Amino acid sequence: ASTKLRLLEMYNGAGAHTIPLAKSMLLSEIVAVELDERLVNACRNNCRLNNCLKGEASDQDQTLVEVFRGDAAEWAKTLRCIHKKNRLSTDTSPNEISNNGTNDYNEFDILLVDPPRQGLDKTVCEMAIKGTFSQLIYISCGRRALIRDLKLLCSDFDIEDLAVIDLFPGTDAVETLIHLKRKMLK
């Protein structure tokens, strides 16, 4: 049996990516972080409706999702996510996490980000580079910010795949989906 991967999702919104990924059964765990309280509540509700909210799901064999409210930049600065020996409340703040003394963001295999138009905070880029994420999925609606962020991320990651999706024909707005893989050490 192959080992399932752990995913950290930042800027998760209402769970548009979270739920299908949980239902795919390709992951062992998803930790989702979102700042907007309304979206956090919507994501938790969507996870409940799809029977994948950690602590409430009846099917413990499927991928379970923990949803946290927090600013991605603050989390990136202090992230010590969800140590198996010391589970945290989903209302835990980044300060409480840093005071917890665990350092487990390196336990995640994949980082998925879907930031607003202004792109990633520099601390999120630094977390991606310094962490042990083997893969990064970047969904972008801001071309200039994406180019800026890729200049930082491509120091440690190679672009594996890329798709540009025109969701709004007749405008210059496009969604870009990029799959990056960590560069192999020479």
Side-chain angles (χ1 to χ4, degrees):
S2 64
T3 304
K4 290 188 179 181
L5 304 172
R6 294 182 70 225
L7 176 98
L8 172 61
E9 181 181 5
M10 298 185 123
Y11 315 94
N12 65 277
H17 311 300
T18 315
I19 303 303
L21 286 168
K23 298 296 240 178
S24 76
M25 297 298 296
L26 297 172
L27 304 164
S28 64
E29 178 180 15
I30 298 172
V31 172
V33 180
E34 171 59 53
L35 179 61
D36 187 317
E37 188 171 4
R38 294 168 303 158
L39 293 173
V40 169
N41 291 334
C43 187
R44 286 180 183 151
N45 189 49
N46 287 333
C47 288
R48 255 184 225 103
L49 291 171
N50 285 279
N51 196 34
C52 61
L53 187 64
K54 190 164 198 101
E56 296 184 21
S58 59
D59 182 2
Q60 297 299 314
D61 289 333
Q62 75 173 32
T63 300
L64 298 179
V65 179
E66 286 186 279
V67 184
F68 291 87
R69 181 173 184 263
D71 176 72
E74 288 300 313
W75 273 69
K77 287 179 192 169
T78 60
L79 195 55
R80 310 288 188 263
C81 264
I82 323 310
H83 194 280
K84 294 203 182 285
K85 297 176 192 164
N86 195 3
R87 287 285 176 200
L88 305 175
S89 160
T90 53
D91 294 321
T92 303
S93 72
N95 289 338
E96 291 172 283
I97 292 170
S98 64
N99 294 334
N100 188 23
T102 62
N103 184 5
D104 292 335
Y105 75 74
N106 289 333
E107 288 186 15
F108 288 97
D109 304 289
I110 304 168
L111 174 63
L112 186 152
V113 294
D114 187 0
R117 190 170 303 281
Q118 64 263 29
L120 297 176
D121 186 278
K122 187 175 181 181
T123 56
V124 175
C125 287
E126 290 170 359
M127 179 196 68
I129 290 166
K130 292 177 182 173
T132 59
F133 304 101
S134 61
Q135 300 180 62
L136 193 154
I137 300 167
Y138 192 136
I139 301 165
S140 174
C141 62
R143 287 180 290 189
R144 287 180 185 87
L146 176 62
I147 291 166
R148 180 201 67 217
D149 294 345
L150 286 175
K151 285 179 183 175
L152 292 171
L153 294 169
C154 286
S155 67
D156 285 62
F157 290 90
D158 287 319
I159 296 173
E160 184 77 8
D161 294 300
L162 178 134
V164 178
I165 305 163
D166 187 1
L167 295 175
F168 307 102
T171 72
D172 65 351
V174 294
E175 288 285 313
T176 306
L177 172 66
I178 300 180
H179 174 207
L180 299 120
K181 283 184 127 177
R182 186 165 299 278
K183 293 179 179 181
M184 301 304 278
L185 296 175
K186 294 180 180 180

